[in-house]
Amino acid sequence: MHSDHESYMGFSLLSRLNKSLETIVGILEGVSIDSVINLREVSFLTEWIRHCDDVRHLHPFNELIPVINTALADGVLTEEEKLDILWLCSRLDTKGDYVNNVLYDMQRLHGILGGILADGKITETELTGLMGWLSENDHLKTCWPYDEVESLISGVMQDGVIDEKEQLLLQRLFSEFIQLADDKTITNPPVIMGGQMVGLCSFAPAIKFEDSWFCFTGASTKYKRRDLKEMVEKLGGKFTDSMTGKVDYLVIGADGNPCWAYACYGRKVEAAVNYRKTGRNVQLVHEIDFHDAVADALG
């Protein structure tokens, strides 16, 4: 674990339990949204369960994991087994009042997106099921990435057929919201801006340090936050810990943060996206591009 994350782990246990539970429910809904569960989708769910090792001995996972493992033992997840697991999840309520229901529903959406993509292909039937889920959960409107997902799917489904370009766009977006293995941070998911599909992180950004405001989120693979601050200030830039309207560049640490409630991004990223929607020219920059820009500026 990255040292920057250790201080979060002690007080984030409840949120990590809930996030894992909601994501598993979402994956189950996603892999079965077209009424078919294939071998690749079962393998995806099995792999996700393997990544819950740090909480599997705790309630509710000490009850849930054995049930899921039994269901997956033969390499097949039947409809009845899925319903049994979903029923158990609904009874294993650890939520309390520490965050509102929007958080849980958004975590479930992330799981659904991952479940749909589990077999490597997104079908028209799956998108129809997803649109139904989005309609039933329209209280998530304005919460990123609900609007982007809904807008992209609506555009793709206008002619009722997913062409090759649309398939790639859908896969690119959906793949950002399930964290497995070392994929700890967003890379460049597309978002809808002014009716156009654009990348969230700037591609090969031209970064100007002099008199520009920088903010950082997540953890760096190379430096402490204070080191990043010193780099910016040495090159004539200004640093802030808060994602406000004055920020020009939000740098996203390549090591992510396992305590983020939304797994692949955090509050600052969502705030930056909302600023961009209002016309504020804030650039989201991946840490790798930031280091390249620093190297260029230092000559």
Side-chain angles (χ1 to χ4, degrees):
M1 180 187 299
H2 193 285
S3 59
D4 284 0
H5 300 152
E6 292 176 356
S7 61
Y8 291 93
M9 303 305 286
F11 60 80
S12 67
L13 176 61
L14 181 58
S15 64
R16 286 186 288 121
L17 285 169
N18 286 326
K19 179 173 67 176
S20 296
L21 183 62
E22 292 300 326
T23 302
I24 287 174
V25 172
I27 291 172
L28 286 167
E29 293 181 358
V31 299
S32 61
I33 205 165
D34 58 354
S35 300
V36 178
I37 303 174
N38 60 42
L39 287 176
R40 291 187 65 182
E41 291 169 335
V42 171
S43 296
F44 180 86
L45 179 57
T46 302
E47 180 69 4
W48 180 266
I49 294 300
R50 189 175 70 81
H51 282 270
C52 294
D53 279 346
D54 64 325
V55 295
R56 67 185 304 140
H57 64 291
L58 301 172
H59 177 79
F61 283 92
N62 58 355
E63 297 182 47
L64 178 62
I65 298 299
V67 173
I68 296 179
N69 285 339
T70 299
L72 297 177
D74 59 357
V76 177
L77 184 66
T78 67
E79 178 66 14
E80 283 300 309
E81 289 170 334
K82 183 200 78 170
L83 292 175
D84 285 343
I85 294 170
L86 290 176
W87 177 87
L88 180 57
C89 288
S90 71
R91 299 301 186 272
L92 300 176
D93 184 3
T94 66
K95 297 182 181 64
D97 296 321
Y98 87 103
V99 287
N100 60 39
N101 287 333
V102 170
L103 172 63
Y104 301 113
D105 290 337
M106 190 60 72
Q107 291 170 346
R108 186 168 297 191
L109 173 58
H110 288 192
I112 291 173
L113 297 179
I116 289 174
L117 189 58
D119 61 357
K121 185 175 177 59
I122 300 170
T123 68
E124 290 84 357
T125 302
E126 289 172 328
L127 289 191
T128 298
L130 179 56
M131 284 300 288
W133 189 94
L134 293 173
S135 296
E136 293 172 1
N137 292 273
D138 59 1
H139 59 285
L140 298 176
K141 283 184 182 294
T142 74
C143 296
W144 189 76
Y146 180 98
D147 293 345
E148 286 69 31
V149 171
E150 182 183 49
S151 180
L152 177 56
I153 295 174
S154 296
V156 168
M157 293 297 286
Q158 280 185 348
D159 59 1
V161 178
I162 305 174
D163 62 32
E164 185 176 350
K165 180 180 178 181
E166 291 168 337
Q167 181 73 218
L168 290 174
L169 283 174
L170 289 165
Q171 290 184 15
R172 180 181 163 202
L173 179 58
F174 286 24
S175 66
E176 293 294 339
F177 301 104
I178 287 295
Q179 177 187 337
L180 286 175
D182 294 326
D183 185 15
K184 296 180 180 177
T185 190
I186 61 173
T187 50
N188 198 25
V191 294
I192 304 294
M193 303 290 293
Q196 299 268 328
M197 179 67 64
V198 299
L200 179 61
C201 291
S202 300
F203 177 74
I207 299 176
K208 172 182 170 291
F209 286 94
E210 189 71 28
D211 295 326
S212 296
W213 280 94
F214 288 78
C215 183
F216 293 86
T217 187
S220 169
T221 55
K222 295 182 177 180
Y223 301 101
K224 297 291 186 182
R225 188 67 58 87
R226 63 177 178 271
D227 299 323
L228 297 168
K229 177 178 181 291
E230 289 174 2
M231 289 181 196
V232 167
E233 294 176 344
K234 181 178 180 179
L235 293 169
K238 291 170 276 191
F239 175 88
T240 177
D241 276 322
S242 302
M243 184 57 229
T244 67
K246 68 183 179 182
V247 171
D248 300 292
Y249 303 97
L250 176 63
V251 181
I252 301 173
D255 210 39
N257 188 333
C259 299
W260 278 345
Y262 291 161
C264 297
Y265 66 90
R267 174 179 51 82
K268 291 178 182 177
V269 174
E270 185 173 63
V273 170
N274 289 333
Y275 278 122
R276 283 174 53 169
K277 287 181 178 180
T278 64
R280 179 73 177 87
N281 187 28
V282 54
Q283 290 194 61
L284 282 82
V285 178
H286 194 275
E287 181 188 353
I288 294 173
D289 291 318
F290 172 78
H291 292 313
D292 287 344
V294 169
D296 291 342
L298 293 174

